[in-house]
Amino acid sequence: MYLKLARGNVRRSLRDYSVYFATLALAACLLYSFIASGDYLTALDLTPEQRGIYGSMGGVLEGFSVFVVVVFIFLVAYANRFIVRRRKREFGMYALLGMERHGVACVLALEGGIVGAAALAAGILAGVVLSPAFGLIAAFVFDAPWRLLPVFSTDAAVWTVGSFAAITALGSAACVRDVVRRPLIELMSAERAPERMRFASARGARVQLALAVPLLAVVWGSCIFQPMYFVVFIIPMGFAAFGATMLVMRAGAWRLGERARRKPERYWDGLRPFTVRQTEARISSTSAALACVCVLIAAAVCMICAGFAFSVGMRAPGAVVENASSLAPIGYIGIFYGAAFLVTAAAILALQQLSGAADARRAYETLRELGCDRELARASLRQQVRLSFAAPLGCALVHDVFGLILVAFLALVLGSGSFALVVAGTLAFTLALMGAYYRITCRACERLLL
């Protein structure tokens, strides 16, 4: 019975699960492709020297793949949180109709298993279909000849299945725990829980900015004046950048509303009051998620630029390292991690916006009851999503100004060439990916609310 109910819920909630499914499938595809990259290279015509470099790279890739799994655990956990928050009232109805808590937990776990298994199969299939493209990237980084050849890696498939099973199990366990421990009245009223503003005052904004400035000064100053110090302490620096960005987000949310209200003739035009209030509430209450997205984007851009600089750029005349292929493993890891971080950031941002849209459903229903024009509501929604995408992306580009100075310094020391072209291409790819996710998120939010 539980399995039949779970299958019916998945079919009925395809819209809710669409972004979730796409996120899981993409995570599975990246996991599979990262491990299978060695098979892509083996299928190519490598020189003995290149095969030796690949042999030394194998252990490095396996070690770094564990960190990729950790990144995707965070992504899946955030996706599961969106699904649970979206459907708490439904689970409360199950309990109200007499279903035991273990039955609700079983249904939720089965739904996660069904979606996870389908996403895993789709991700591995996509990895096999796209294997020539991933092989092209690997061949380009290692400067090896490439030919169109689909590749299936048994070892990568087994590793992906095991890792994905662990990720799905952890995510489902967290969801089950969250639902089971909630009182019935909290589940039934989940959609009515308002978003809370934090530090909504001029004094609070000044305090947050005063805390953020020294943190940013340490991070940015280290990139410019003490680059090796930044590299050694890169993890604490990342946490400092995250904390400072979160404080700036909170202060900026309050500043946005105050600045808009200073001009009453513009503020009271159309749905501007509603748009401003919804935007400042979203940014303030989700500042941690937006700061996480910002840091991930900033790190991704720097890692992709470093990956290309330390692989392709080392083939330029005048490189300090005699064997340019010796840095190819580092370059490949940087490129892959950067792509994984970018996808994770975009997915988190999309899920966060869908979660916010689900919370704002009652507000849009009230607008509709008051006779608000549909196009006005659509324009307000798009503006909210646009600002929520622009805020972390803009902050990430500011961080990258200083981060890329560090990468450029290292590239200069090693004699890497074409760095400006690499940066331009990476930024164009980042903006295109975020633009695509923005359009997808807008359409999903419109289907949910309008």
Side-chain angles (χ1 to χ4, degrees), residues 82 99 111 151 157 159 201 209 220 327 338 346 360 377 383 395 402 415 423:
F82 161 71
M99 183 181 289
E111 289 181 20
V151 177
W159 168 261
S201 65
L209 289 177
W220 293 347
L327 292 179
Q383 187 174 1
C395 291
F402 299 91
V423 172

Side-chain angles (χ1 to χ4, degrees), residues 85-100:
R85 188 169 184 176
R86 175 75 176 84
R87 303 178 59 208
K88 279 183 179 179
R89 183 177 177 84
E90 177 185 338
F91 298 136
M93 288 296 297
Y94 290 159
L96 190 63
L97 293 173
M99 183 181 289
E100 298 291 338

Side-chain angles (χ1 to χ4, degrees), residues 25 79 87 97 100 121 138 146 207 214 217 233 256 266 287 295 329 346 376 428-429 431 435 443:
R87 303 178 59 208
L97 293 173
E100 298 291 338
W146 174 83
V207 170
F233 296 97
L256 173 68
R266 294 186 58 188
S287 55
V295 174
L376 281 178
F429 173 74
L431 294 175
R443 292 178 180 176

Side-chain angles (χ1 to χ4, degrees), residues 31 34-35 56-71 159 163 333 336-337:
L31 280 173
F34 187 55
I35 301 300
S56 64
M57 182 192 71
V60 177
L61 286 179
E62 292 178 0
F64 273 90
S65 64
V66 176
F67 188 71
V68 176
V69 172
V70 174
V71 171
W159 168 261
S163 302
I333 290 172
F336 182 86
Y337 266 111

Side-chain angles (χ1 to χ4, degrees), residues 101 174-184 186-187:
R101 288 297 179 101
C175 289
V176 169
R177 181 175 178 270
D178 185 34
V179 171
V180 170
R181 66 197 293 260
R182 300 284 182 182
L184 178 59
E186 185 174 340
L187 293 175

Side-chain angles (χ1 to χ4, degrees), residues 142-159:
F142 280 83
D143 195 20
W146 174 83
R147 64 178 183 271
L148 182 62
L149 181 65
V151 177
F152 175 76
S153 173
T154 304
D155 294 338
V158 172
W159 168 261

Side-chain angles (χ1 to χ4, degrees), residues 232-247:
V232 171
F233 296 97
I234 189 169
I235 294 180
M237 291 293 178
F239 279 106
F242 166 77
T245 305
M246 183 174 62
L247 293 173

